[in-house]
């Protein structure tokens, strides 16, 4: 008893655990504030000196200054001309701001829902899968993070399924037109005012193209700049945004629409190769439509401003190139094969992407800490762990592509995020499944539906795709953003977040 008392006394008298100290966070915040505002702090003494000197000047001093300028009129005019010329060049060459006016996510009708037990029963009744494949699919579904209300296309609800070109077109029309109808209704924008159209869908590329289907449906104008991106995977949504941004730099005062989707009907795998069965279990029906503008007047009604787009492509490496690969199995059945090296390759692409993105978004303090630990590791202690920048200081919200539970887990761990930061990704995966390139928009809609988006907040959208690619888009909220009408979360947001089975 005495020894126990001695131990308690010793512990009470010992130094506090600084890592657990609440006050330490204020020290760190103060350090970040000091370093991040170092340039401003350096200018304060100069401003004070100029202010003191100006306050001591009288009428006579001001007259002498005016006389001095008169005798140096040529110099004054020359300097003024250079200033006006430089300012004009700056205004003409600076990038035009790109504003996100609004966006819409497609929500399929309830009769297309595919509860997990129904999914497995349909897979069994098709007769295409052996017992080993069925058991494999069951295990994948149990660990996937998908809920009971995700959607599969109409053709997959029949027994046997009825995949066809007509059914695939029907799925594409329902998703794209559903998202666009809602977008045009919410924004009151006349479709004929759209000057740029970008559509991305990896696995379904009919002739005429998906972009032509939209032009035909909405009778878009004849000089529209339309693009159709195929085979670029789940990160193609960010690529489409980047393309639209570049086009908006060239064409003044116009709207751009970006449509992101994937088509499941003709790309369901009916074989028994395990690496090709995973997409069946994860991918579900979904799509988004985004309205962008470069008109300065649209800033008042816009939701977000596009700040950065950073794209990373690892296709020069053979392993990265083949890690997500569409091919035929030994029985001649077509599917998309996922490599066992996928997570390692995704990690490498992510590292490259955030190394590029970091200097653009991180506070100077984080960059100095990273550089200092890198130097120490290189010169003094090679076993020292590198400093991982705190991206929570750069972003308020994270939209991580809902590709699967493992992807979200790894990014949460490696970027040292909190559960609230990955909540939108996990709940989107649970409610809608992997909707490919549109998933980051369902996640943004979740954050808005939870009324967490405040003016000035920064959002990081990050997605991975075949090739192999890792792409990021950074947005800044122009106001406190409320969910748009007919949000995909409109009637179910109160039920989320749900507790997921470990």
């Amino acid at each position: 008893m005495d020894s126990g008392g001695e131990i308690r006394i010793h512990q009470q008298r010992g130094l506090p655990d600084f890592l657990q100290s609440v006050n330490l966070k204020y020290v760190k915040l103060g350090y970040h504030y000091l370093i991040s505002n170092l340039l401003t702090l350096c200018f304060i003494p100069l401003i004070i000196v100029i202010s003191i000197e100006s306050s001591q000047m009288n009428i006579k001093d001001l007259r002498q200054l005016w006389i001095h300028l008169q005798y140096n009129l040529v110099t004054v005019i020359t300097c003024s001309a250079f200033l006006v010329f430089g300012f004009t060049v700056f205004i003409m060459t600076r990038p035009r701001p790109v504003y996100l006016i609004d966006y819409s996510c497609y929500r399929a009708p309830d009769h297309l829902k595919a509860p997990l037990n129904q999914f497995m029963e349909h897979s069994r009744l098709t007769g295409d899968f052996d017992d080993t494949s069925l058991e494999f699919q069951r295990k994948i579904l149990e660990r996937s993070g998908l809920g009971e209300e995700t959607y599969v296309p109409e053709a997959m609800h029949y027994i046997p399924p009825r995949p066809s070109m007509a059914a695939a077109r029907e799925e594409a029309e329902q998703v794209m037109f559903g998202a666009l109808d809602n977008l045009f209704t919410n924004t009151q924008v006349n479709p004929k005012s759209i000057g740029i159209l970008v559509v991305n869908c990896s696995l379904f590329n009919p002739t005429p193209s998906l972009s032509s289907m939209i032009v035909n449906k909405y009778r878009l104008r004849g000089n529209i700049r339309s693009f159709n991106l195929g085979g670029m995977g789940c990160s193609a949504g960010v690529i489409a945004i980047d393309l639209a941004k570049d086009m908006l730099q060239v064409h003044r005062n116009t709207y751009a629409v970006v449509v992101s989707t994937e088509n499941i009907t003709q790309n369901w795998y009916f074989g028994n190769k395990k690496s090709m069965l995973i997409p069946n279990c994860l991918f579900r029906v979904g799509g988004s439509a985004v309205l962008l503008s470069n008109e300065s007047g649209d800033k008042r009604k816009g939701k977000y401003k596009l700040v950065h787009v950073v794209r990373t492509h690892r296709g020069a490496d053979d392993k990265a190139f083949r890690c997500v690969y569409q091919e035929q199995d030994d029985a001649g059945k077509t599917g998309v094969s996922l490599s066992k090296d996928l997570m390692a390759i995704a990690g490498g692409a992510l590292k490259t992407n955030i190394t590029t993105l970091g200097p653009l978004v991180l506070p100077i303090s984080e960059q100095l800490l990273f550089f200092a630990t890198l130097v120490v590791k290189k010169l003094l202690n090679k076993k020292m762990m590198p400093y991982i920048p705190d991206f929570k200081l750069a972003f308020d919200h994270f939209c991580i592509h809902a590709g699967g539970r493992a992807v979200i887990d790894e990014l949460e761990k490696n970027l040292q995020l909190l559960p609230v930061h990955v909540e939108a990704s996990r709940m989107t995966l649970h409610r809608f499944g992997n909707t490919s390139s549109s998933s980051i928009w369902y996640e943004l809609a979740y954050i808005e539906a939870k009324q967490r988006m405040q003016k000035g907040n920064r959002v990081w959208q990050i997605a991975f795709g075949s090739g192999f690619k890792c792409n990021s888009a950074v947005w800044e909220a122009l106001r406190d953003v409320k969910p748009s009408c007919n949000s995909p979360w409109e009637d179910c947001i109160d039920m989320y977040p749900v507790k997921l089975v470990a």
Side-chain angles (χ1 to χ4, degrees), residues 273-297:
K273 189 174 181 180
K274 291 183 178 179
S275 63
M276 291 182 170
L277 284 169
I278 298 174
N280 284 11
C281 300
L282 298 179
F283 282 86
R284 295 294 185 266
V285 172
S288 63
V290 182
L291 179 65
L292 304 173
S293 172
N294 59 9
E295 292 192 46
S296 57

mmCIF file of all heavy atoms in Angstrom, residues 273-297:
data_model
loop_
_atom_site.group_PDB
_atom_site.id
_atom_site.type_symbol
_atom_site.label_atom_id
_atom_site.label_comp_id
_atom_site.label_asym_id
_atom_site.label_seq_id
_atom_site.Cartn_x
_atom_site.Cartn_y
_atom_site.Cartn_z
ATOM 1 N N LYS A 273 -13.370 -15.677 -62.787
ATOM 2 C CA LYS A 273 -12.051 -15.180 -62.405
ATOM 3 C C LYS A 273 -12.222 -14.167 -61.280
ATOM 4 O O LYS A 273 -12.888 -13.133 -61.450
ATOM 5 C CB LYS A 273 -11.360 -14.541 -63.617
ATOM 6 C CG LYS A 273 -9.915 -14.187 -63.365
ATOM 7 C CD LYS A 273 -9.237 -13.682 -64.642
ATOM 8 C CE LYS A 273 -7.778 -13.343 -64.371
ATOM 9 N NZ LYS A 273 -7.096 -12.857 -65.610
ATOM 10 N N LYS A 274 -11.611 -14.456 -60.138
ATOM 11 C CA LYS A 274 -11.882 -13.660 -58.938
ATOM 12 C C LYS A 274 -11.519 -12.190 -59.094
ATOM 13 O O LYS A 274 -12.236 -11.309 -58.620
ATOM 14 C CB LYS A 274 -11.140 -14.267 -57.745
ATOM 15 C CG LYS A 274 -11.709 -15.604 -57.311
ATOM 16 C CD LYS A 274 -11.001 -16.152 -56.097
ATOM 17 C CE LYS A 274 -11.625 -17.476 -55.663
ATOM 18 N NZ LYS A 274 -10.930 -18.057 -54.481
ATOM 19 N N SER A 275 -10.397 -11.910 -59.750
ATOM 20 C CA SER A 275 -9.979 -10.512 -59.896
ATOM 21 C C SER A 275 -10.943 -9.696 -60.749
ATOM 22 O O SER A 275 -10.952 -8.463 -60.691
ATOM 23 C CB SER A 275 -8.575 -10.447 -60.506
ATOM 24 O OG SER A 275 -8.565 -11.000 -61.811
ATOM 25 N N MET A 276 -11.785 -10.395 -61.535
ATOM 26 C CA MET A 276 -12.777 -9.715 -62.369
ATOM 27 C C MET A 276 -14.151 -9.646 -61.705
ATOM 28 O O MET A 276 -15.028 -8.912 -62.177
ATOM 29 C CB MET A 276 -12.912 -10.423 -63.723
ATOM 30 C CG MET A 276 -11.696 -10.295 -64.623
ATOM 31 S SD MET A 276 -11.990 -11.107 -66.200
ATOM 32 C CE MET A 276 -10.564 -10.553 -67.143
ATOM 33 N N LEU A 277 -14.330 -10.386 -60.631
ATOM 34 C CA LEU A 277 -15.621 -10.399 -59.946
ATOM 35 C C LEU A 277 -15.792 -9.207 -59.003
ATOM 36 O O LEU A 277 -16.916 -8.817 -58.677
ATOM 37 C CB LEU A 277 -15.789 -11.703 -59.150
ATOM 38 C CG LEU A 277 -16.116 -12.954 -59.965
ATOM 39 C CD1 LEU A 277 -15.980 -14.206 -59.109
ATOM 40 C CD2 LEU A 277 -17.528 -12.858 -60.550
ATOM 41 N N ILE A 278 -14.685 -8.609 -58.578
ATOM 42 C CA ILE A 278 -14.750 -7.513 -57.595
ATOM 43 C C ILE A 278 -15.569 -6.325 -58.108
ATOM 44 O O ILE A 278 -16.412 -5.787 -57.377
ATOM 45 C CB ILE A 278 -13.331 -7.078 -57.177
ATOM 46 C CG1 ILE A 278 -12.615 -8.254 -56.491
ATOM 47 C CG2 ILE A 278 -13.383 -5.865 -56.257
ATOM 48 C CD1 ILE A 278 -11.157 -7.985 -56.166
ATOM 49 N N PRO A 279 -15.376 -5.872 -59.368
ATOM 50 C CA PRO A 279 -16.209 -4.754 -59.852
ATOM 51 C C PRO A 279 -17.706 -5.033 -59.782
ATOM 52 O O PRO A 279 -18.494 -4.118 -59.513
ATOM 53 C CB PRO A 279 -15.729 -4.572 -61.305
ATOM 54 C CG PRO A 279 -14.311 -5.039 -61.293
ATOM 55 C CD PRO A 279 -14.311 -6.211 -60.341
ATOM 56 N N ASN A 280 -18.125 -6.293 -60.036
ATOM 57 C CA ASN A 280 -19.542 -6.632 -59.907
ATOM 58 C C ASN A 280 -20.077 -6.284 -58.520
ATOM 59 O O ASN A 280 -21.199 -5.818 -58.364
ATOM 60 C CB ASN A 280 -19.769 -8.123 -60.145
ATOM 61 C CG ASN A 280 -19.708 -8.511 -61.606
ATOM 62 O OD1 ASN A 280 -19.289 -7.715 -62.444
ATOM 63 N ND2 ASN A 280 -20.125 -9.725 -61.915
ATOM 64 N N CYS A 281 -19.250 -6.523 -57.506
ATOM 65 C CA CYS A 281 -19.677 -6.349 -56.118
ATOM 66 C C CYS A 281 -19.669 -4.888 -55.677
ATOM 67 O O CYS A 281 -20.402 -4.516 -54.758
ATOM 68 C CB CYS A 281 -18.772 -7.159 -55.188
ATOM 69 S SG CYS A 281 -18.775 -8.939 -55.528
ATOM 70 N N LEU A 282 -18.859 -4.050 -56.303
ATOM 71 C CA LEU A 282 -18.660 -2.678 -55.826
ATOM 72 C C LEU A 282 -19.367 -1.617 -56.657
ATOM 73 O O LEU A 282 -19.886 -0.637 -56.118
ATOM 74 C CB LEU A 282 -17.165 -2.355 -55.760
ATOM 75 C CG LEU A 282 -16.305 -3.198 -54.814
ATOM 76 C CD1 LEU A 282 -14.855 -2.746 -54.890
ATOM 77 C CD2 LEU A 282 -16.822 -3.107 -53.388
ATOM 78 N N PHE A 283 -19.380 -1.777 -57.988
ATOM 79 C CA PHE A 283 -19.889 -0.707 -58.848
ATOM 80 C C PHE A 283 -21.413 -0.703 -58.896
ATOM 81 O O PHE A 283 -22.048 -1.747 -59.005
ATOM 82 C CB PHE A 283 -19.319 -0.827 -60.261
ATOM 83 C CG PHE A 283 -17.912 -0.335 -60.380
ATOM 84 C CD1 PHE A 283 -16.848 -1.175 -60.094
ATOM 85 C CD2 PHE A 283 -17.649 0.978 -60.754
ATOM 86 C CE1 PHE A 283 -15.543 -0.723 -60.187
ATOM 87 C CE2 PHE A 283 -16.350 1.436 -60.846
ATOM 88 C CZ PHE A 283 -15.287 0.595 -60.563
ATOM 89 N N ARG A 284 -21.962 0.516 -58.828
ATOM 90 C CA ARG A 284 -23.408 0.702 -58.841
ATOM 91 C C ARG A 284 -23.787 1.892 -59.729
ATOM 92 O O ARG A 284 -22.946 2.672 -60.146
ATOM 93 C CB ARG A 284 -23.921 0.936 -57.414
ATOM 94 C CG ARG A 284 -23.731 -0.268 -56.472
ATOM 95 C CD ARG A 284 -24.592 -1.447 -56.908
ATOM 96 N NE ARG A 284 -24.514 -2.568 -55.976
ATOM 97 C CZ ARG A 284 -23.667 -3.597 -56.095
ATOM 98 N NH1 ARG A 284 -22.824 -3.619 -57.119
ATOM 99 N NH2 ARG A 284 -23.681 -4.582 -55.225
ATOM 100 N N VAL A 285 -25.085 2.023 -60.009
ATOM 101 C CA VAL A 285 -25.593 3.070 -60.892
ATOM 102 C C VAL A 285 -25.442 4.451 -60.240
ATOM 103 O O VAL A 285 -25.781 4.633 -59.066
ATOM 104 C CB VAL A 285 -27.073 2.826 -61.225
ATOM 105 C CG1 VAL A 285 -27.668 4.013 -61.976
ATOM 106 C CG2 VAL A 285 -27.219 1.556 -62.053
ATOM 107 N N GLY A 286 -24.941 5.416 -61.015
ATOM 108 C CA GLY A 286 -24.816 6.785 -60.522
ATOM 109 C C GLY A 286 -24.250 7.697 -61.584
ATOM 110 O O GLY A 286 -23.662 7.247 -62.573
ATOM 111 N N GLY A 287 -24.411 8.987 -61.382
ATOM 112 C CA GLY A 287 -23.867 9.961 -62.325
ATOM 113 C C GLY A 287 -24.068 11.365 -61.786
ATOM 114 O O GLY A 287 -24.880 11.599 -60.878
ATOM 115 N N SER A 288 -23.330 12.318 -62.350
ATOM 116 C CA SER A 288 -23.420 13.707 -61.895
ATOM 117 C C SER A 288 -23.333 14.651 -63.087
ATOM 118 O O SER A 288 -22.793 14.301 -64.134
ATOM 119 C CB SER A 288 -22.298 14.021 -60.902
ATOM 120 O OG SER A 288 -21.032 13.898 -61.534
ATOM 121 N N ALA A 289 -23.864 15.848 -62.894
ATOM 122 C CA ALA A 289 -23.769 16.921 -63.887
ATOM 123 C C ALA A 289 -23.374 18.193 -63.156
ATOM 124 O O ALA A 289 -24.005 18.552 -62.158
ATOM 125 C CB ALA A 289 -25.094 17.105 -64.624
ATOM 126 N N VAL A 290 -22.332 18.871 -63.640
ATOM 127 C CA VAL A 290 -21.771 20.043 -62.974
ATOM 128 C C VAL A 290 -21.813 21.227 -63.931
ATOM 129 O O VAL A 290 -21.417 21.105 -65.097
ATOM 130 C CB VAL A 290 -20.308 19.781 -62.540
ATOM 131 C CG1 VAL A 290 -19.732 20.985 -61.811
ATOM 132 C CG2 VAL A 290 -20.222 18.525 -61.674
ATOM 133 N N LEU A 291 -22.284 22.374 -63.439
ATOM 134 C CA LEU A 291 -22.346 23.594 -64.246
ATOM 135 C C LEU A 291 -21.256 24.566 -63.797
ATOM 136 O O LEU A 291 -21.217 24.978 -62.639
ATOM 137 C CB LEU A 291 -23.719 24.264 -64.110
ATOM 138 C CG LEU A 291 -23.907 25.573 -64.894
ATOM 139 C CD1 LEU A 291 -23.843 25.309 -66.399
ATOM 140 C CD2 LEU A 291 -25.227 26.241 -64.518
ATOM 141 N N LEU A 292 -20.355 24.918 -64.729
ATOM 142 C CA LEU A 292 -19.250 25.835 -64.456
ATOM 143 C C LEU A 292 -19.423 27.109 -65.275
ATOM 144 O O LEU A 292 -20.040 27.094 -66.343
ATOM 145 C CB LEU A 292 -17.914 25.184 -64.813
ATOM 146 C CG LEU A 292 -17.587 23.849 -64.146
ATOM 147 C CD1 LEU A 292 -16.309 23.262 -64.734
ATOM 148 C CD2 LEU A 292 -17.441 24.007 -62.638
ATOM 149 N N SER A 293 -18.836 28.208 -64.797
ATOM 150 C CA SER A 293 -18.920 29.477 -65.505
ATOM 151 C C SER A 293 -17.644 30.279 -65.302
ATOM 152 O O SER A 293 -16.975 30.140 -64.264
ATOM 153 C CB SER A 293 -20.121 30.290 -64.998
ATOM 154 O OG SER A 293 -20.119 31.598 -65.548
ATOM 155 N N ASN A 294 -17.298 31.114 -66.300
ATOM 156 C CA ASN A 294 -16.169 32.035 -66.144
ATOM 157 C C ASN A 294 -16.626 33.490 -66.144
ATOM 158 O O ASN A 294 -15.812 34.410 -66.243
ATOM 159 C CB ASN A 294 -15.126 31.807 -67.250
ATOM 160 C CG ASN A 294 -15.703 31.999 -68.644
ATOM 161 O OD1 ASN A 294 -16.822 32.450 -68.818
ATOM 162 N ND2 ASN A 294 -14.916 31.633 -69.660
ATOM 163 N N GLU A 295 -17.931 33.705 -66.048
ATOM 164 C CA GLU A 295 -18.454 35.065 -65.986
ATOM 165 C C GLU A 295 -18.280 35.624 -64.576
ATOM 166 O O GLU A 295 -18.688 34.983 -63.596
ATOM 167 C CB GLU A 295 -19.928 35.093 -66.382
ATOM 168 C CG GLU A 295 -20.179 34.772 -67.851
ATOM 169 C CD GLU A 295 -21.609 35.104 -68.263
ATOM 170 O OE1 GLU A 295 -22.069 36.192 -67.913
ATOM 171 O OE2 GLU A 295 -22.233 34.253 -68.922
ATOM 172 N N SER A 296 -17.697 36.827 -64.462
ATOM 173 C CA SER A 296 -17.434 37.412 -63.145
ATOM 174 C C SER A 296 -18.719 37.626 -62.353
ATOM 175 O O SER A 296 -18.736 37.512 -61.127
ATOM 176 C CB SER A 296 -16.694 38.740 -63.312
ATOM 177 O OG SER A 296 -17.434 39.636 -64.134
ATOM 178 N N GLY A 297 -19.817 37.926 -63.051
ATOM 179 C CA GLY A 297 -21.088 38.146 -62.364
ATOM 180 C C GLY A 297 -21.644 36.904 -61.705
ATOM 181 O O GLY A 297 -22.477 36.994 -60.795
#
